[in-house]
Amino acid sequence: PAASVQSVAPERRAAEQRDDPRTVHEYGGSYASAPGRAELAGGVPRGKAQVVHSSVSERGMFVTAAHYRPYMVHAARDARPRPDFAEGGPPRYNHDDDKSAFKRRASQRSIVMVVLVLAAGAFFATVNYSSGEALRESITSPEPKSVRAQAGANATLAEPQQQARTLTASSVHQMTEMRFKVFLEERRPKRPADGSEARKLGSFALKPVAKRSFYSKRLSTTYCPVPKVASSNWKYLFRKFAGVSSYQNLAEAHDRKLSGLKYLWDMDPEELEDWMKSKANFKFVFVRNPYSRVLSCYLNKFVGKTAESEEYRGYMALLFQAKTEADFKLRPSFEAFVKAVEQQVPSSMNEHWALQSYLCSPDMVQYDFIGRYEEIEADSAAVLRRLGFGPEEQFPSQKTINFLGSGADSRVKEYYTPELVETVYRIYQRDFEAFGYSRELS
């Protein structure tokens, strides 16, 4: 309405002091004389035009305010004169009421805007958090019992996520570069703050890790193989990458002279030091839950071999001092096998049941990636991608390399008793701690 003035300009104040009426066109308001208001209040026939006021403005412009009754009734109602004016005096608008109403409405609008802004902020924060959670859930699921625990004094893995990774090779290759870097970083072990990993080269060269690890300068990588942790699969791949025509022959792959693989042990001391310190050298290893690894060794070497097998006889002589045919025909139980292993010191253990931490020395080698056998599909795909291969290069299955597994992972509870759990943990405690596996039998 014309009389609902929302703001009072200085120009209008001056006009009112001079009793100089201005129309709705001048100030957005309506000025009605006292007789005009009385006539309006007395009731003008509906639809009849009522001229309220006309005058020559300061701008030399003749203005006329004419309104129909419905509008003028509203104007007359809002154009209330101040009570402190004498009757018959010049009518004035109650500007104080107008300003108060304006301030009240402005305050209400401000409160509404603040509430809307806060609500919008909360909504988008929730959406972003949910999206982040969805992304994390798309690449993770609840961690099994073998979560990464506090690592050893000299080498530790990064603190485990509360959720395990159930990724496929395809999903790893589809990761963005940023997400893939995070994936690699999650598998990088923590660096000891005390500098204990910096050892003398001579001490390192004498360790089993230098004798068993092989490298590829073309791929800029070094790998430490651990028996019973898909080491044959990796040898198969490295021989293939090296261009060995007989890379499918596993017997050759396990023969240092025939494998075609290059071992750290064969490097000159200066070259070895430079290579192991090079940031371009991507060093990785795969580990396995000691419970299933020990059982896999037993099933493969003492159950899956015939009594006439040369390999079986060799293990029987090594672990049980078998000498006669009657000795070789005896099949040791899993309990007997574990107790025999317990009698050995780490340095005298066969590589198939030796401590993984002893074989690959994570306290001395700054590994860039420690993969898990339990997550072999995703972790192997991550290594292959890191080495520059696309999704077409897949990690070979046991069937592909013609070396079927023992199925130990699904038979753990079949062979373990509470006493054997305690014994195996006691033997391989360093592995449980260094690689973060749970003491509980999963």
Side-chain angles (χ1 to χ4, degrees):
S4 298
V5 181
Q6 295 184 357
S7 63
V8 180
E11 184 179 0
R12 180 171 177 172
R13 291 181 181 276
E16 288 183 335
Q17 291 176 1
R18 296 191 306 272
D19 194 18
D20 182 14
R22 299 299 175 96
T23 67
V24 63
H25 304 288
E26 290 281 329
Y27 293 123
S30 176
Y31 186 95
S33 63
R37 288 198 306 273
E39 184 177 358
L40 287 172
V44 178
R46 182 178 298 275
K48 180 181 178 181
Q50 172 66 43
V51 177
V52 179
H53 186 83
S54 63
S55 67
V56 179
S57 67
E58 288 181 345
R59 300 180 184 179
M61 179 178 179
F62 187 81
V63 292
T64 300
H67 304 277
Y68 283 93
R69 184 176 185 280
Y71 180 80
M72 292 306 297
V73 169
H74 181 78
R77 183 188 63 223
D78 288 344
R80 298 182 298 271
R82 293 180 182 177
D84 55 336
F85 279 94
E87 184 175 354
R92 303 293 176 89
Y93 295 115
N94 193 335
H95 300 299
D96 292 338
D97 290 346
D98 292 336
K99 288 188 289 183
S100 298
F102 174 76
K103 291 180 180 180
R104 183 171 59 255
R105 288 192 296 270
S107 177
Q108 291 172 348
R109 292 192 188 98
S110 299
I111 294 174
V112 171
M113 289 299 296
V114 170
V115 171
L116 289 176
V117 169
L118 292 177
F123 172 76
F124 285 110
T126 303
V127 170
N128 291 337
Y129 176 80
S130 300
S131 300
E133 287 297 308
L135 175 61
R136 286 186 285 274
E137 289 174 3
S138 67
I139 59 175
T140 60
S141 65
E143 182 82 22
K145 291 182 180 179
S146 58
V147 293
R148 298 176 181 177
Q150 179 70 31
N154 293 329
T156 59
L157 284 176
E159 288 297 326
Q161 300 291 329
Q162 293 300 319
Q163 300 174 337
R165 305 153 188 89
T166 57
L167 294 173
T168 62
S170 176
S171 60
V172 170
H173 283 287
Q174 291 174 0
M175 289 180 181
T176 62
E177 284 299 323
M178 181 176 295
R179 177 66 189 97
F180 182 64
K181 289 180 180 179
V182 173
F183 184 90
L184 294 178
E185 191 63 28
E186 288 175 350
R187 283 142 178 85
R188 182 193 298 272
K190 289 181 178 178
R191 307 303 188 200
D194 59 359
S196 59
E197 63 184 4
R199 306 299 178 99
K200 295 290 185 180
L201 178 62
S203 175
F204 169 77
L206 295 176
K207 289 289 185 178
V209 60
K211 297 180 181 180
R212 65 185 304 99
S213 297
F214 50 87
Y215 67 94
S216 170
K217 288 198 171 181
R218 183 177 70 85
L219 298 176
S220 298
T221 187
T222 299
Y223 165 64
C224 180
V226 177
K228 314 311 300 177
V229 192
S231 59
S232 297
N233 308 61
W234 282 112
K235 289 181 179 180
Y236 176 100
L237 275 181
F238 269 78
R239 280 161 50 83
K240 176 183 176 181
F241 298 154
V244 178
S245 58
S246 58
Y247 67 90
Q248 296 175 323
N249 190 328
L250 285 185
E252 289 184 3
H254 294 299
D255 188 317
R256 292 176 67 98
K257 295 181 179 179
L258 301 176
S259 66
L261 300 173
K262 297 180 179 180
Y263 288 83
L264 295 179
W265 178 261
D266 300 324
M267 279 187 172
D268 293 332
E270 295 79 8
E271 182 185 12
L272 175 61
E273 182 175 9
D274 293 340
W275 176 248
M276 295 307 292
K277 290 182 178 180
S278 173
K279 293 183 178 180
N281 178 18
F282 178 72
K283 300 173 287 295
F284 72 97
V285 62
F286 274 74
V287 296
R288 185 175 183 176
N289 189 312
Y291 290 128
S292 63
R293 178 173 176 262
V294 171
L295 179 57
S296 177
C297 175
Y298 168 75
L299 293 175
N300 178 248
K301 304 304 180 184
F302 293 92
V303 176
K305 305 294 182 182
T306 64
E308 293 75 23
S309 168
E310 182 179 348
E311 186 179 6
Y312 171 77
R313 287 174 175 250
Y315 290 130
M316 285 294 293
L318 176 65
L319 202 57
F320 297 97
Q321 292 75 47
K323 297 179 180 180
T324 66
E325 287 297 323
D327 293 337
F328 291 124
K329 289 183 180 180
L330 293 175
R331 292 284 183 175
S333 65
F334 181 56
E335 181 180 4
F337 167 72
V338 170
K339 289 184 177 180
V341 171
E342 188 179 19
Q343 302 304 313
Q344 296 184 315
V345 295
S347 58
S348 66
M349 291 181 180
N350 179 270
E351 64 177 3
H352 290 87
W353 59 79
L355 277 72
Q356 299 168 88
S357 55
Y358 174 80
L359 295 175
C360 292
S361 301
D363 59 329
M364 300 180 67
V365 179
Q366 298 180 9
Y367 287 104
D368 299 295
F369 188 96
I370 297 184
R372 286 178 174 245
Y373 180 82
E374 294 79 14
E375 301 157 18
I376 189 68
E377 181 180 358
D379 285 2
S380 61
V383 171
L384 290 174
R385 175 175 172 176
R386 172 60 178 78
L387 297 180
F389 296 98
E392 66 280 355
E393 189 64 62
Q394 299 181 1
F395 190 71
S397 64
Q398 296 303 115
K399 183 178 181 180
T400 300
I401 67 173
N402 196 26
F403 189 88
L404 299 181
S406 61
D409 290 337
S410 62
R411 305 176 69 181
V412 168
K413 293 186 178 180
E414 177 185 344
Y415 280 87
Y416 274 92
T417 64
E419 293 75 17
L420 282 177
V421 169
E422 291 299 320
T423 303
V424 169
Y425 179 81
R426 186 165 56 249
I427 299 172
Y428 296 95
Q429 183 174 353
R430 284 174 54 189
D431 283 357
F432 281 100
E433 293 177 348
F435 303 119
Y437 283 102
S438 172
R439 182 172 183 168
E440 297 180 19
L441 186 67
S442 60

